[in-house]
Structure formats: C-alpha cells, structure tokens
Amino acid sequence: QVQLVESGGGLVQTGDSLRLSCAASGRTLSSYSMGWFRQAPGKEREFVASIRWNGINTYYVDYADSVKGRFTISRDNAKNTVYLQMNSLKPEDTAVYCCAAGLTVDRRTYARAEKYDYWGQGTQVTVSL
C-alpha cells in the first residue's frame, strides 16, 4: 500500500505561484509513475501533469495543454515526494489538486485516472482575480 498526502495549497491571487507537494509512505515511489489531477466544483476530474517511469532508467513528463509552460512536475525519490510548481496562476486553475501513483502508467495512459492505483485526499487551490 502507498499512502499519499498532498500539501501546499491555499488562496492566492492571479499571477501568483504555489508549490504543491505529495509525500508518500508505505513504499518507495521510484518505480511508480506519478500524476497530478484536479477537480473544480461542478466539473469532472482532469489530468494536470505526470512524471512517468519507463521501467528502465528514464522519467518522462507530460502536461495538460492548459498548464503547459506554467506548471512543472518534479520528483525527489530520496524524499519520496513529488512536486507541482505552479506559476502564473489563473482563476480557472481553482480546484482540488490530487496526486496519484501508478505502476502500469505508460505513454498512452498517463492522462487516464483509472490507470493510477493510489490517490491522496487532495489540497485546495483557490486563485482570486
């Protein structure tokens, strides 16, 4: 079992930055692909970013078009933690952000929530005008 706990959310203004963290316990994350998803009120959960393991020696990152160039996903395997640096925040970024871990995520499935095995509870990000 993997337990994931997100932190770093909050209320910010348009144009501000936040860094979300996702700390894991229970197992080492180094072999897991990690993703960030978000869900705004009244909307479906959507993919934000992923950093996936190719099973050999390389991590690949992918982003939703809506955050590309503004958000950066990274991981620190020594700390068993994944980060989401969010810059130039917009009101439409307001949502609950959740991290997820999966062993079978690949280049075709990284944006599919059902491919991730473990989920955190989420952290609220609110961006005001």
Side-chain angles (χ1 to χ4, degrees):
Q1 289 289 333
V2 176
Q3 292 78 43
L4 303 174
V5 178
E6 302 93 338
S7 61
L11 173 63
V12 297
Q13 294 183 330
T14 297
D16 285 351
S17 298
L18 278 176
R19 189 177 80 155
L20 306 183
S21 299
C22 173
S25 60
R27 289 185 182 176
T28 181
L29 286 184
S30 59
S31 297
Y32 283 82
S33 295
M34 302 297 297
W36 284 97
F37 290 77
R38 67 186 182 186
Q39 187 166 18
K43 295 186 178 181
E44 294 187 353
R45 181 169 51 190
E46 65 173 354
F47 168 77
V48 176
S50 70
I51 183 165
R52 53 190 169 86
W53 172 238
N54 74 343
I56 303 174
N57 58 1
T58 305
Y59 289 106
Y60 295 95
V61 296
D62 301 282
Y63 297 96
D65 288 343
S66 59
V67 306
K68 202 171 292 183
R70 300 188 298 123
F71 290 12
T72 302
I73 188 171
S74 62
R75 64 195 298 161
D76 185 337
N77 289 337
K79 295 183 178 180
N80 230 24
T81 300
V82 177
Y83 304 97
L84 185 68
Q85 177 66 43
M86 306 186 296
N87 298 331
S88 302
L89 283 162
K90 305 174 182 179
E92 50 264 45
D93 295 318
T94 295
V96 175
Y97 285 70
C98 294
C99 67
L103 277 176
T104 62
V105 174
D106 62 26
R107 60 181 177 84
R108 297 164 299 176
T109 63
Y110 61 84
R112 292 168 54 183
E114 66 270 24
K115 296 300 292 184
Y116 292 80
D117 306 303
Y118 303 101
W119 290 81
Q121 292 298 311
T123 185
Q124 176 71 46
V125 172
T126 303
V127 185
S128 64
L129 291 169

